[in-house]
């Protein structure tokens, strides 16, 4: 069953604390919800559709959005990226962004995503920038053995404050966030031809058994099963096209 992004657009029109958007393979908006229109200060979807983020958002924000889009259009999944978005009256505010590629017949044809407001979450607003820096560090060092002390040095938090803040914002501990990041990268790499063992190592897992165990816990199947599923779906899509 395929769901038209327009149906999701209509659903998210009813959720004012979440931006919804879909884009084509050039990063141009094809669908947006009312919240995004209001925050951009436009009256119709036609003022947004067909344009890219760097045509709508101020410099300093748009570059990061465009770079993020390029990664997703290359097949990556972006999950719980902490970043600044425009809020009411075009003031910047913190949100968590998730983006996923839209794949048809084995090809990425666009992306779909949401940005969820963090707002005034339990007095955490002063901690958002340190948390973003910690998340950025995890995102760029996922293949390494990350020391908790490094995150404490980045944020200036105590261990209990770091774990408490991560749980409030991400509903996960720092280690769980790191594992999720590693699995998302692995999902992307499994579409290629590298061996399962080399992918596990590239994603920071100590050995193949640890990779398989964590992957199965997150995805519900082993890496080899996931790769076989991708291959079977590809064959089915090829048959459908023929």
């Amino acid at each position: 069953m395929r769901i038209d992004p327009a149906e999701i657009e209509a659903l998210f029109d009813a959720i004012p604390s979440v931006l919804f958007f879909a884009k084509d393979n050039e990063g141009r908006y094809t669908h947006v919800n009312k919240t995004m229109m209001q925050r951009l200060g436009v009256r119709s979807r036609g003022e947004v559709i067909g344009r890219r983020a760097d045509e709508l958002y101020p410099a300093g924000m748009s570059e990061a959005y465009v770079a993020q889009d390029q990664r997703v259009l290359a097949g990556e999944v972006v999950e719980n990226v902490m970043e600044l978005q425009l809020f009411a009256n075009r003031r910047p505010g913190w949100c968590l962004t998730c983006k996923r590629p839209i794949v048809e017949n084995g090809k990425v044809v666009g992306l779909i995503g949401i940005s969820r407001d963090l707002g005034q979450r339990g007095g955490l607003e002063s901690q958002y920038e340190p948390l973003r820096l910690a998340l950025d560090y995890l995102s760029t060092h996922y293949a390494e053995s990350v020391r908790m002390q490094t995150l404490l040095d980045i944020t200036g938090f105590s261990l209990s404050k770091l774990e408490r803040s991560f749980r409030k914002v991400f509903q996960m501990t720092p280690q769980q966030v790191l594992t999720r990041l590693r699995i998302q990268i692995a999902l992307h790499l499994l579409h290629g031809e590298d061996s399962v063992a080399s992918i596990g190592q590239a994603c920071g897992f100590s050995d193949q058994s640890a990779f398989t165990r964590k992957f199965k816990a997150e995805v519900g199947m082993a890496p080899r099963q996931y790769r076989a599923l991708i291959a079977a779906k590809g064959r089915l899509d090829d048959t459908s096209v023929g």
Side-chain angles (χ1 to χ4, degrees):
M1 179 179 67
R2 293 190 181 276
I3 300 176
D4 187 334
E7 296 294 330
I8 307 175
E9 178 185 76
L11 181 65
F12 276 103
D13 276 347
I15 309 176
S17 62
V18 176
L19 298 185
F20 165 79
F21 49 87
K23 303 180 184 182
D24 65 15
N25 60 2
E26 297 293 330
R28 297 178 295 243
Y29 289 99
T30 59
H31 299 81
V32 296
N33 70 338
K34 288 181 180 178
T35 297
M36 184 167 173
M37 291 164 50
Q38 292 165 354
R39 294 185 183 182
L40 287 171
V42 301
R43 294 188 177 183
S44 71
R45 288 186 169 90
E47 296 176 69
V48 179
I49 304 308
R51 302 174 73 184
R52 289 164 36 112
D54 53 5
E55 298 177 271
L56 295 166
Y57 286 94
M61 285 186 177
S62 61
E63 295 90 344
Y65 299 161
V66 171
Q68 200 179 75
D69 288 349
Q70 291 171 346
R71 286 167 47 207
V72 177
L73 291 170
E76 285 190 34
V77 171
V78 166
E79 187 167 357
N80 283 338
V81 170
M82 200 169 182
E83 61 187 8
L84 288 171
Q85 256 285 356
L86 293 181
F87 279 27
N89 301 319
R90 295 182 69 86
R91 290 178 301 179
W94 289 101
C95 69
L96 287 179
T97 294
C98 301
K99 295 180 181 178
R100 294 180 177 273
I102 300 173
V103 180
E104 291 182 2
N105 299 324
K107 286 185 59 179
V108 176
V109 296
L111 65 86
I112 194 165
I114 61 170
S115 290
R116 176 167 56 88
D117 294 356
L118 288 175
Q120 308 294 312
R121 180 169 290 201
L124 281 174
E125 52 273 15
S126 65
Q127 300 174 25
Y128 288 156
E129 177 61 17
L131 284 174
R132 184 190 68 79
L133 293 174
L135 189 63
D136 283 353
Y137 183 86
L138 292 176
S139 298
T140 54
H141 294 81
Y142 63 86
E144 304 169 17
S145 178
V146 177
R147 296 174 62 247
M148 188 66 69
Q149 185 59 50
T150 303
L151 300 183
L152 299 181
D153 292 342
I154 290 171
T155 59
F157 295 169
S158 66
L159 178 58
S160 60
K161 182 176 180 179
L162 179 73
E163 293 191 340
R164 186 169 61 250
S165 299
F166 260 75
R167 285 187 180 278
K168 283 186 177 180
V169 172
F170 307 113
Q171 289 78 55
M172 291 181 280
T173 66
Q175 185 58 50
Q176 288 169 333
V177 169
L178 178 59
T179 298
R180 180 70 61 84
L181 286 168
R182 288 171 169 171
I183 296 300
Q184 293 294 352
I185 296 296
L187 286 166
H188 174 57
L189 294 177
L190 283 165
H191 286 257
E193 298 181 355
D194 291 342
S195 69
V196 170
S198 64
I199 289 173
Q201 186 174 20
C203 293
F205 293 97
S206 57
D207 55 58
Q208 188 173 339
S209 62
F211 174 42
T212 299
R213 185 172 63 255
K214 292 290 187 181
F215 191 95
K216 192 170 183 178
E218 287 280 338
V219 182
M221 65 183 75
R224 294 185 190 281
Q225 290 175 298
Y226 178 77
R227 174 168 271 173
L229 186 67
I230 295 168
K233 188 176 185 302
R235 289 193 296 270
L236 180 62
D237 288 340
D238 289 343
T239 302
S240 298
V241 171

